Amino acid sequence: MTLPHTAANPAGADRTFQVDLRGLVDLLSHHLYSSPRVYLRELMQNAVDALTARHGLEATAPADTLGIRLYADGSVVRVEDDGVGLTEADVHTFLATIGRSSKRAERIAEQRGDFIGQFGIGLLSCFLVADEIHVLSRSARTPDAPAVEWRGRGDGSYTVRTLPVSARPRPGTTVTLTPRADAGEWTRPAQVHALARHFGSLLRHPVTFDDGTGGPDAPGAAVNPDPAPWARTYPTPGARSRALAAYGEEVFGFTPLDTIELDLPAVGLKGIACVLPEAVPAGRRHGHRVHVKGMLLSEQADEILPDWAFFVRCVVDAESLRPTASRESLYEDDTLAAVRDALAERLRAWIARAAASDPDLLGRFLQAHHLAVKSLAVHDDEILRMLLPWLPFETTDGHCTLDEFARTHRTVLVTSTVEEFRQVAAIASAAGLGVVNGGYTYDRELVHRLPEIRPEATVADLDPATLTAHLDPVDRETELAAAAYLAQARDALAVFDCDVALRTFQPASAPALLVDSREARHERTRSQLAREQEGGLWGDILGALRQEAPRAQLILNQLNPLVRTAVAIDEPELARTSAEALYGQAAMLSRRPLRPAESSLINRSFLDLLAHALRKDS
């Protein structure tokens, strides 16, 4: 908060930037910090840094004798610490200047690895809830130095004065805020206590709270009475597992399917990953709770794990991760990338242990999170070898694992889309073909890798020729008797580039099968555009791309009574209408989106058949 110079500056002389403090505070509140509540975190953070410096100065001082004391009674909020404190020179350097560099500041910056704060603007966050900040401090580095009082105001002015040592008998710092009337939401005693527990529950220094009433939150009420659950000792491994699961449930609000301990000594990271008991929508990522040196940094730090790990939620405490300027997320650097990779390896190891020693847990895990495992198996050969046979897929035998399916079907056929699977599932099942729905994310790619795990299995893509080869032809006499109807049907469906054939297949209840593919429809659409755009640059481009457009096939089932009646129709218009109705019914059974012309055909054929039935009855 450097005050503007009032004296005239000679021409060409260096000038100092003038800082509009109110504008800076507005910038912090609207663009840097997510909420005014961070003021308490910043005050506690400064106190923790001061305690860290005090321990560096007095290495033999017991950690539990130096702490942080919070007070809030509705009229003031006070944070007191037993840290290293400030001299008058420190006050001018660190409290009254924004962005100023000094030799001492640079030396301190080199040693900030033990401190949480990195950017020197935390104290300004107090102006989000108060118009004046009062700091009283006494240095532990210079025991005979006087106490120093600093008062900073929201208009950018401040005062500094020295006081007798008796004004602050012990080294350390006390910061006092007089909240504005509109800041009551964040400065009420109960809220201050809740925020202190929220941000500081894992701090290593003792933190207490006093609301001045002598009630449950009386002086000495501990904000962080217990160390982190992973830092405690337990009588048995089972007791430890239950305690970690209970902590996960307390933090996240669900009972974990299992808890995975996380420990990366290289960066001082410890914590747990809680496996979600239910499936998570694909692409949806849950945030993780990240503490840095005990102080809560973020509840939504999704960058700590790779995208595929959306089946867990983590709470971790780390020493060496760097916070961003707002200290509400993590700085993306090589350290964070290495941590992300190491934590991913811990999750892979947990899956491997479950596969090797706990099939019941593995089954429950895969039932809920098979999509996450599939996304991992695509890129991870080890997980692929371990889990591919046990992953569930949609098949013509129902939902089952690939291992079960491959035992029944030596040749595994796989469709490229969900639509194709739904078109052929019933017919293929009746014909004894084993087909897997490869239309879901990762499924087709994974099924094609089955021979890497089961060399005796054969995998092939299902195409129309494979299916129609398993449909039995009708005898020549039946074919000739139906020739006239089939010709009229082909003429009626020519607008859809659809051929018509007569076969026999199971189940007999299926009157017709429409064999088509998305690629074939796309090629036919492109060919139609080329015809419409003949001539000109666009027509030449489409013509160059055009291939022989594969035709759709409407295969009528001679075993179906309705089809046997239809092919005997000798009235041309009724024959055309029945063929259109059979095409429409087969198109709807394929469950693909209908084109406008197909929807119109279905409505028209239904009305025409209804009109014919009414005329016949009359």
Side-chain angles (χ1 to χ4, degrees):
M1 282 172 282
T2 302
L3 296 178
H5 292 296
T6 55
N9 285 291
D14 288 343
R15 298 175 181 269
T16 302
F17 282 111
Q18 297 183 17
V19 177
D20 178 357
L21 187 59
R22 292 189 184 278
L24 182 57
V25 171
D26 182 71
L27 178 67
L28 296 179
S29 64
H30 289 94
H31 301 285
L32 186 64
Y33 295 127
S34 61
S35 164
R37 69 177 185 165
V38 299
Y39 82 93
L40 189 66
R41 183 197 65 193
E42 297 294 335
L43 289 178
M44 294 173 67
Q45 199 160 267
N46 288 344
V48 170
D49 284 347
L51 287 169
T52 302
R54 178 80 180 270
H55 282 294
L57 185 67
E58 304 172 12
T60 59
D64 57 358
T65 64
L66 305 178
I68 302 170
R69 294 167 294 281
L70 309 178
Y71 178 87
D73 63 2
S75 59
V76 298
V77 174
R78 186 165 63 242
V79 178
E80 181 179 354
D81 68 68
D82 299 316
V84 72
L86 300 170
T87 64
E88 183 177 3
D90 293 335
V91 167
H92 286 289
T93 299
F94 299 116
L95 299 188
T97 304
I98 297 174
R100 177 180 171 185
S101 175
S102 68
K103 292 299 181 182
R104 183 180 179 196
E106 291 170 2
R107 288 196 304 272
I108 291 176
E110 293 173 359
Q111 303 168 3
R112 293 299 291 246
D114 289 335
F115 300 154
I116 302 171
Q118 298 284 334
F119 299 92
I121 58 175
L123 194 63
L124 292 181
S125 66
C126 295
F127 285 120
L128 299 176
V129 298
D131 288 325
E132 182 174 288
I133 305 171
H134 176 255
V135 178
L136 180 63
S137 188
R138 181 183 167 197
S139 175
R141 286 194 176 92
T142 311
D144 57 347
V148 183
E149 179 189 65
W150 178 88
R151 290 183 183 271
R153 289 169 285 275
D155 60 6
S157 63
Y158 70 93
T159 61
V160 179
R161 63 174 181 153
T162 59
L163 300 173
V165 170
S166 59
R168 184 68 163 77
R170 301 172 59 186
T173 301
T174 301
V175 180
T176 303
L177 310 179
T178 302
R180 293 194 304 271
D182 62 354
E185 177 184 359
W186 307 109
T187 57
R188 293 192 305 269
Q191 180 70 308
V192 172
H193 190 203
L195 290 175
R197 289 187 59 82
H198 179 73
F199 290 119
S201 63
L202 298 185
L203 286 175
R204 292 82 183 266
H205 303 285
V207 183
T208 58
F209 176 78
D210 176 13
D211 65 358
T213 65
D217 299 324
V223 168
N224 54 341
D226 301 311
W230 47 82
R232 305 172 204 166
T233 57
Y234 300 91
T236 64
R240 183 178 184 85
S241 296
R242 289 189 294 273
L244 295 179
Y247 180 73
E249 184 171 4
E250 176 188 346
V251 171
F252 295 123
F254 63 83
T255 302
L257 189 65
D258 196 16
T259 55
I260 308 165
E261 286 206 56
L262 306 174
D263 187 4
L264 303 178
V267 292
L269 183 147
K270 290 181 178 292
I272 58 172
C274 297
V275 182
L276 289 155
E278 297 178 350
V280 180
R284 178 180 170 186
R285 300 182 67 185
H286 285 294
H288 308 287
R289 289 176 64 95
V290 175
H291 299 251
V292 175
K293 300 179 179 67
M295 184 71 74
L296 179 64
L297 182 79
S298 174
E299 297 175 273
Q300 299 296 326
D302 58 6
E303 64 271 27
I304 197 76
L305 287 179
D307 291 347
W308 56 259
F310 53 78
F311 57 88
V312 297
R313 294 192 70 181
C314 294
V315 52
V316 299
D317 185 21
E319 295 286 333
S320 301
L321 294 178
R322 291 175 58 194
T324 58
S326 67
R327 290 193 283 273
E328 295 183 333
S329 59
L330 293 171
Y331 187 82
E332 188 68 48
D333 59 9
D334 291 343
T335 300
L336 179 58
V339 166
R340 186 163 48 237
D341 290 343
L343 292 180
E345 186 58 36
R346 297 297 188 277
L347 298 185
R348 289 191 187 94
W350 175 83
I351 294 174
R353 286 196 303 273
S357 60
D358 196 337
D360 179 62
L361 174 61
L362 179 68
R364 288 183 285 125
F365 169 67
L366 291 179
Q367 184 177 7
H369 300 296
H370 57 271
L371 182 60
V373 176
K374 287 177 180 179
S375 69
L376 176 58
V378 167
H379 307 291
D380 191 307
D381 290 344
E382 182 180 353
I383 294 297
L384 179 80
R385 287 191 297 272
M386 284 191 303
L387 297 184
L388 180 60
W390 316 115
L391 290 173
F393 290 83
E394 184 180 6
T395 75
T396 46
D397 291 351
H399 282 83
C400 61
T401 67
L402 273 189
D403 191 61
E404 295 169 335
F405 194 68
R407 289 197 202 118
T408 308
H409 304 280
R410 182 59 60 90
T411 298
V412 177
L413 301 172
V414 58
T415 64
S416 58
T417 66
V418 174
E419 171 192 322
E420 289 178 1
F421 179 79
R422 289 171 176 168
Q423 285 181 21
V424 306
I427 309 301
S429 179
L433 297 176
V435 183
V436 178
N437 185 350
Y440 296 114
T441 307
Y442 312 118
D443 282 16
R444 181 169 175 268
E445 183 177 354
L446 289 172
V447 173
H448 272 287
R449 298 190 66 179
L450 179 62
E452 299 176 29
I453 316 302
R454 297 283 187 269
E456 68 277 8
T458 301
V459 177
D461 286 322
L462 177 69
D463 56 33
T466 303
L467 181 64
T468 54
H470 286 76
L471 306 181
D472 296 325
V474 297
D475 59 69
R476 183 171 181 79
E477 182 179 343
T478 303
E479 182 82 32
L480 289 174
Y485 179 86
L486 294 176
Q488 291 170 327
R490 293 185 186 110
D491 183 61
L493 301 178
V495 66
F496 300 114
D497 287 317
C498 182
D499 196 8
V500 183
L502 186 64
R503 298 285 189 273
T504 63
F505 54 86
Q506 295 293 336
S509 59
L513 169 66
L514 182 59
V515 180
D516 200 2
S517 69
R518 186 179 301 170
E519 292 77 12
R521 291 196 304 275
H522 176 71
E523 182 59 40
R524 291 197 298 271
T525 301
R526 189 166 61 185
S527 298
Q528 182 181 357
L529 282 173
R531 290 193 298 270
E532 294 172 354
Q533 298 283 342
E534 285 196 7
L537 178 61
W538 182 239
D540 292 341
I541 293 173
L542 289 174
L545 294 173
R546 184 169 56 196
Q547 304 173 1
E548 183 65 30
R551 292 169 64 82
Q553 269 195 316
L554 179 67
I555 302 176
L556 304 180
N557 187 3
Q558 176 65 18
L559 298 180
N560 182 269
L562 178 63
V563 171
R564 289 200 299 271
T565 301
V567 297
I569 296 174
D570 56 8
E571 185 180 334
E573 285 303 317
L574 182 57
R576 290 176 61 90
T577 299
S578 66
E580 291 173 344
L582 288 168
Y583 175 90
Q585 189 257 2
M588 287 191 295
L589 286 179
S590 72
R591 302 184 188 179
R592 65 168 170 79
L594 297 176
R595 290 171 286 179
E598 291 173 329
S599 297
S600 176
L601 173 140
I602 291 170
N603 292 331
R604 186 179 67 251
S605 62
F606 170 76
L607 293 175
D608 288 349
L609 288 175
L610 181 60
H612 176 80
L614 293 175
R615 285 197 304 271
K616 183 177 179 180
D617 289 342
S618 62

